Amino acid sequence: MRPSSILVLVAWLLQAGSTLGAERPGEGFDVTHYALALTPDIQNRTLSGREVITLRATKDRLRSLIFSGSALSIDSATLDGVPVVVETGEETLSIRLAEPLARGRAVRLELTYHGRPARGLSGSATSLYTSYFACDWMICAQETFGDKAAFSLALKVPVGIDTLSVGRRVARIRTSDGREIHRWTAPRPYSAYLFGFAVGRFARVEERVDARVRAARLVYLSDVADEGELRQRFAETGGIVRFFADKAGAPLPVAAYSQLLVEGREAQEAASYSVLGVEALPTRADEPSQNWAIAHELAHQWWGNLVTSATLKDFWLNEGVTTFMTAAWKEHRYGPAAYEAELAVARGRLEKARAAGFDKPLAWEGHRAAPSDRSS
Ligand SMILES: [Zn+2]
């Protein structure tokens, strides 16, 4: 996530959480698997789908299942095959249970829905991609930050449309109505904010990197750049993977890491890929001061995605380590002056925060106002 977005997001989530009282999304249960089948509409930026959520009660006499609210319309809902009533609000989606669940009881919630997500879905005339706000386009509990679940997604798209989601594409099936279903499966459980997908007609480049024993595939995709531009813009990626794998003492946690290049200033990690805007990347790779987004989002594959702060209160752990590792890579790549320059940027941000009265503890549950932007 780009530094300027982080505190805006924390402010929103903490504020949302504080007004919910006892009914906080995700409380009282542990989601073990989200399985989705979605049909996205690129032109209208809408989607329809079916979702099966497998969860387990973590407290006794659980009377309701609360998920994050969204603008989606629920068409049907069943719990272990029995219809249930869903109450949808701006901040929560609630299901009252006829019979309370005992601790440890596992149930299967199945929902169908459609709509236009209010956030987290962007695109061009020929593509659609999600960014951060997963629970705006699927039913999930984003507030329980460290709760990780298995994830699988089947995307139904016109023939010729490429797809990207979490982990690996395990199947590609032609349907009787002349379309295709692309099935994706995550390699391990991830927090809900890391779920995502993209669909479109993408130029594609694949490279291989060998880092700490395990080789990985690096995939670059875009509908706004050709193969030559993708190779040039993402040329540093292999070196960054090797540096982080060496410092982490662990190989890149995914067999294939994709970077989707889009218009604008996007810089957002997902579970096994990142979305990067052309304005977030430098025009020249040898210009260190602007070259942070590829390294920052890639660092999240280890720090943030693999090792995740348990609660939003400690979100600085995700972003703090990542920010430091980006500075450390700059020192490795460009020399000590680049590291010092990165620290100067960080000190400048701190000074701006202090001047605006936002000098808060790193781990803090109160309301945070938005800081000023890195680039301003
Ligand atoms: Zn980040």
Side-chain angles (χ1 to χ4, degrees):
M1 178 172 289
R2 86 165 26 247
S4 61
S5 304
I6 293 162
L7 289 188
V8 180
L9 170 82
V10 171
W12 172 78
L13 284 169
L14 289 173
Q15 198 173 35
S18 67
T19 58
L20 298 170
E23 300 203 328
R24 291 167 71 96
E27 276 193 8
F29 61 90
D30 174 30
V31 175
T32 51
H33 191 193
Y34 292 104
L36 291 90
L38 292 181
T39 305
D41 182 327
I42 294 174
Q43 274 72 41
N44 295 312
R45 296 194 187 178
T46 58
L47 48 83
S48 60
R50 174 175 164 272
E51 179 170 338
V52 176
I53 301 171
T54 310
L55 60 88
R56 195 173 46 80
T58 55
K59 72 173 192 184
D60 245 344
R61 300 192 61 74
L62 181 63
R63 293 183 174 279
S64 57
L65 302 174
I66 315 285
F67 294 89
S68 308
S70 72
L72 297 171
S73 299
I74 307 298
D75 300 315
S76 70
T78 60
L79 190 74
D80 285 341
V82 178
V84 287
V85 176
V86 179
E87 292 166 30
T88 52
E90 209 168 285
E91 292 182 348
T92 59
L93 180 152
S94 313
I95 295 157
R96 301 280 163 204
L97 303 174
E99 294 286 329
L101 297 181
R103 183 196 298 265
R105 168 84 188 278
V107 291
R108 185 177 188 273
L109 176 65
E110 185 170 340
L111 303 127
T112 58
Y113 59 86
H114 72 276
R116 179 196 291 264
R119 294 171 303 186
L121 193 63
S122 309
S124 65
T126 57
S127 71
L128 206 58
Y129 65 88
T130 64
S131 182
Y132 189 80
F133 292 101
C135 302
D136 276 52
W137 57 265
M138 63 180 280
I139 310 302
C140 54
Q142 196 150 331
E143 288 82 349
T144 44
F145 203 71
D147 182 15
K148 299 188 180 190
F151 175 83
S152 51
L153 170 61
L155 285 163
K156 192 172 189 182
V157 291
V159 174
I161 293 290
D162 202 358
T163 63
L164 171 67
S165 187
V166 174
R168 200 162 66 88
R169 190 169 65 192
V170 293
R172 187 170 165 166
I173 303 152
R174 185 66 73 98
T175 62
S176 56
D177 61 356
R179 291 192 278 181
E180 281 186 343
I181 292 172
H182 297 193
R183 293 188 189 282
W184 290 80
T185 300
R188 66 172 65 77
Y190 282 105
S191 297
Y193 77 96
L194 294 168
F195 299 147
F197 71 87
V199 295
R201 294 181 194 277
F202 301 131
R204 167 185 283 263
V205 171
E206 290 201 19
E207 294 182 337
R208 221 179 112 89
V209 61
D210 292 292
R212 285 197 75 88
V213 183
R214 197 163 83 193
R217 270 190 308 133
L218 302 177
V219 183
Y220 317 139
L221 300 164
S222 184
D223 74 333
V224 296
D226 62 16
E227 292 176 18
E229 186 180 346
L230 284 172
R231 279 184 201 283
Q232 180 253 320
R233 283 187 175 273
F234 291 120
E236 298 284 336
T237 310
I240 304 172
V241 170
R242 279 190 291 274
F243 177 75
F244 287 158
D246 189 45
K247 296 304 174 193
L252 181 67
V254 291
Y257 174 68
S258 299
Q259 292 175 102
L260 176 67
L261 183 67
V262 299
E263 293 283 11
R265 302 172 65 240
E266 193 75 48
Q268 178 61 50
E269 78 278 18
S272 63
Y273 68 89
S274 294
V275 181
L276 294 159
V278 288
E279 291 167 37
L281 301 184
T283 43
R284 286 172 43 197
D286 58 356
E287 174 42 67
S289 68
Q290 293 173 16
N291 202 1
W292 63 273
I294 292 173
H296 181 106
E297 306 313 333
L298 179 53
H300 277 308
Q301 290 297 317
W302 288 266
W303 300 282
N305 296 13
L306 192 60
V307 182
T308 314
S309 64
T311 67
L312 199 61
K313 189 181 88 172
D314 292 311
F315 194 51
W316 76 274
L317 285 169
N318 281 19
E319 298 300 336
V321 179
T322 303
T323 302
F324 169 73
M325 290 309 297
T326 302
W329 171 72
K330 287 195 179 192
E331 181 181 47
H332 167 80
R333 171 68 175 82
Y334 302 107
Y339 178 80
E340 289 301 327
E342 197 68 3
L343 290 197
V345 169
R347 287 191 198 99
R349 279 196 216 124
L350 178 59
E351 284 312 311
K352 280 185 184 174
R354 278 189 178 137
F358 302 147
D359 186 12
K360 306 298 184 191
L362 286 173
W364 191 58
E365 283 187 282
H367 176 73
R368 289 178 198 256
S372 50
D373 183 49
R374 173 193 176 108
S375 59
S376 61

